[in-house]
Amino acid sequence: MPKPSLYDMNLADLETLMRGWGQPAFRARQIYRQLYVNLAANPAAMTDLPLTLRDRLSAETSIGGLRLVRTQTSDDGLTRKALFALPDGVVVETVLMIYADRATACVSTQAGCAMGCVFCATGKLGLLRNLSPGEIVEQALWASRELRAWQGTGDRGQGTGDRGQGTDRAAGGPQDDGSRWVADAPAPVQQLGRISNLVFMGMGEPLANYDRWWESVQRLHDPQGLNMGARSMTVSTVGLAQGIRRLAGEGLPINLAISLHAPDDALRSALMPINDRFPIGDLLDAAREYIDTTGRRVSFEYVLLQGQNDQPHQALALAKLLRGHTADGANRGVPLLCHVNLIPWNPVPGAPLGRSEHARVRAFQQVLVDYGVACTVRVERGVEIAAACGQLAGANDER
C-alpha cells in the first residue's frame, strides 16, 4: 500500500496524526507551514522539527504522490508544462504561465474527462479517475516551486524573439505559422515571489469531482497555508447546472467560467454532449442564480471553429441570448452580468475541425461588442507544446 500523502491531510488531520504519534499539536502547524509556505518537498528540509519526527514522517508518510515525468517549455520559457505520473500509472498535466506582472497555474482535477467535447483532447481519453484533494493541491505547489526556481536563475523573461519556438527537454516543437493570437514580445518579468492566479482549467471537469475539488480550494485558500485569494481562483465548467448552483452557495467568491461554444441547443449538443442533460436554457438559469446570489460576473468561454460556430448570425444570436432574449427571440429585458472570452481553437490530433481565421474572429467579436456584450480574445500560450486550452491529453512516451 502507498504511504498516506501529507497533501491529502488538512490541518485537523495532521493534528490527529501528531496526537497519535504522541507529539504536541503545534508540530502539525509546523508541518503545515513547511508544506504550504516553505514549499518543503522532503521531511529532511523541515529543520524546525526534531530529527526523530522527520525520520518517522519519511518512513510512514509521503509528500505527495505525483512523479514528474517531463517538463516542456515554450514562449521563451514563460510557459511551462509538467507531465505527472500518479501512483496507479495514470498521468495528468499542469501548466505554469508567467507574465510580466503575474503568474498563473492551470491545474487538473481529473485524469481524463467524461464530458466528450469534440474539440478537446482530454475528452478523447474518457474519464480515468478523479484526483484527490492532495493531488490537485500538489500541482499548485509544483507551480509555486517552479516559479521560485525559475526566478532564482536571474532570468526575468527578457525574451529572445523566438516566441513561436517550442522546446521540450527531449525534442523541439514546431515554429509558429503566423496564425496564432499572441501578445507582443514579453516585457521584463517582475520578481513575483508567488503564484498570483490559479485556474481549474486543466484536465477534467472540476464540478464532476466537486467534493475533492472544493477541499483543494479551501486548502489553497487557507491563510495559514498557500493563502491564495478566492478572487484569484477561477473554475471552468462545461455547464453542470447543479454544480453551478452549489457553488453559488459557497462562502468563497471564486470566479466562474462556463464553456458555452454555441448559441443554440442543436449545435451545442453536437459539440458538447452534456448539453443533452443541461440545455442552454437550464444552463443560463443556473448562471443567473449564481449571479443573483453572489453578485459576481460570469465568464462564458467560446471556442471558435471555422464555419461551424463563428458566423455573424451566430454571433448575433449569442449576443441576444446574453442580453436577455429567449430562444424564441422574445426579449426578457434582463441582460446577464457576463463577459465572453473568445478562444480560437487549438489543434487537437484527429479532430476534423478547423481554426477560425483572424478576420472571422474579429468580425464575431465586433458583433458582440456592438450589441453591448463585453468580449475579449484569449491570447494563446503554449500551443507548440500542446499546453493551450483544450490540448491537454497526458501524452507520455515513457509508459
Side-chain angles (χ1 to χ4, degrees):
M1 294 293 292
K3 300 175 184 178
S5 169
L6 295 177
Y7 289 141
D8 275 322
M9 303 180 192
N10 58 30
L11 183 55
D13 294 332
L14 286 173
E15 289 174 343
T16 299
L17 179 67
M18 289 299 100
R19 283 196 296 270
W21 288 4
Q23 296 285 337
F26 74 85
R27 294 298 186 201
R29 294 190 292 274
Q30 288 178 299
I31 295 170
Y32 198 76
R33 180 175 178 81
Q34 286 284 357
L35 293 173
Y36 296 102
V37 179
N38 297 345
L39 306 181
N42 191 300
M46 302 180 182
T47 53
D48 55 344
L49 301 179
L51 180 58
T52 54
L53 179 54
R54 281 179 271 163
D55 288 343
R56 187 168 186 182
L57 286 170
S58 295
E60 299 184 27
T61 69
S62 66
I63 298 185
L66 304 185
R67 177 176 64 84
L68 182 62
V69 175
R70 180 178 64 236
T71 303
Q72 297 168 275
T73 65
S74 68
D75 301 311
D76 291 337
L78 300 181
T79 302
R80 316 173 80 81
K81 183 178 78 167
L83 174 70
F84 294 107
L86 281 63
D88 56 1
V90 301
V91 295
V92 295
E93 292 182 315
T94 308
V95 181
L96 170 64
M97 294 164 285
I98 305 169
Y99 301 88
D101 59 349
R102 67 192 188 282
T104 298
C106 177
V107 305
S108 299
T109 55
Q110 296 177 314
C113 182
M115 298 298 115
C117 301
V118 301
F119 46 80
C120 178
T122 311
K124 294 180 179 299
L125 301 174
L127 178 63
L128 303 176
R129 73 168 174 85
N130 289 321
L131 299 189
S132 72
E135 289 167 340
I136 300 171
V137 166
E138 189 174 353
Q139 296 172 70
L141 297 178
W142 166 82
S144 298
R145 290 193 201 97
E146 186 79 357
L147 176 65
R148 181 178 291 181
W150 177 82
Q151 291 187 135
T153 66
D155 181 356
R156 295 290 171 265
Q158 298 290 344
T160 65
D162 298 327
R163 302 204 68 247
Q165 181 74 34
T167 60
D168 185 317
R169 290 180 187 170
Q175 290 286 343
D176 184 10
D177 62 5
S179 65
R180 293 181 53 197
W181 291 78
V182 297
D184 294 333
V189 178
Q190 302 170 9
Q191 185 69 28
L192 300 172
R194 55 171 293 162
I195 298 297
S196 44
N197 298 94
L198 184 65
V199 295
F200 299 96
M201 297 183 181
M203 299 172 69
E205 164 56 52
L207 301 190
N209 187 23
Y210 195 103
D211 291 336
R212 299 174 186 86
W213 163 70
W214 188 251
E215 184 176 340
S216 75
V217 169
Q218 294 175 308
R219 191 89 50 76
L220 294 165
H221 174 68
D222 188 350
Q224 297 185 72
L226 196 61
N227 195 27
M228 285 289 303
R231 296 176 190 269
S232 297
M233 292 188 273
T234 300
V235 61
S236 176
T237 175
V238 297
L240 302 188
Q242 78 278 25
I244 293 172
R245 291 188 170 94
R246 183 176 175 184
L247 180 62
E250 302 287 6
L252 298 180
I254 73 171
N255 302 304
L256 173 64
I258 300 174
S259 295
L260 191 57
H261 309 313
D264 62 83
D265 283 322
L267 178 57
R268 191 167 189 266
S269 290
L271 298 175
M272 307 176 67
I274 193 65
N275 194 72
D276 292 336
R277 288 181 55 201
F278 301 108
I280 290 176
D282 293 346
L283 177 56
L284 294 187
D285 285 344
R288 288 182 185 279
E289 182 175 324
Y290 174 89
I291 293 167
D292 291 344
T293 302
T294 66
R296 296 187 58 73
R297 184 179 75 168
V298 168
S299 289
F300 288 102
E301 299 166 316
Y302 196 101
V303 167
L304 287 162
L305 302 166
Q306 181 85 1
Q308 295 202 39
N309 67 351
D310 65 347
Q311 300 177 64
H313 74 273
Q314 293 168 316
L316 181 60
L318 176 62
K320 289 183 176 180
L321 193 68
L322 300 182
R323 293 296 293 171
H325 291 248
T326 59
D328 60 6
N331 189 350
R332 296 171 58 184
V334 187
L336 281 167
L337 179 62
C338 67
H339 167 270
V340 174
N341 193 0
L342 298 178
I343 309 169
W345 180 66
N346 297 305
V348 172
L353 303 169
R355 177 185 179 82
S356 295
E357 299 167 352
H358 279 65
R360 296 172 75 98
V361 175
R362 287 300 185 204
F364 196 99
Q365 180 187 30
Q366 193 61 53
V367 171
L368 293 174
V369 171
D370 289 346
Y371 217 83
V373 177
C375 178
T376 54
V377 180
R378 180 175 294 178
V379 171
E380 297 166 10
R381 298 288 293 269
V383 174
E384 303 87 357
I385 56 173
C389 179
Q391 290 186 312
L392 300 184
N396 181 10
D397 296 336
E398 298 185 16
R399 285 185 292 174

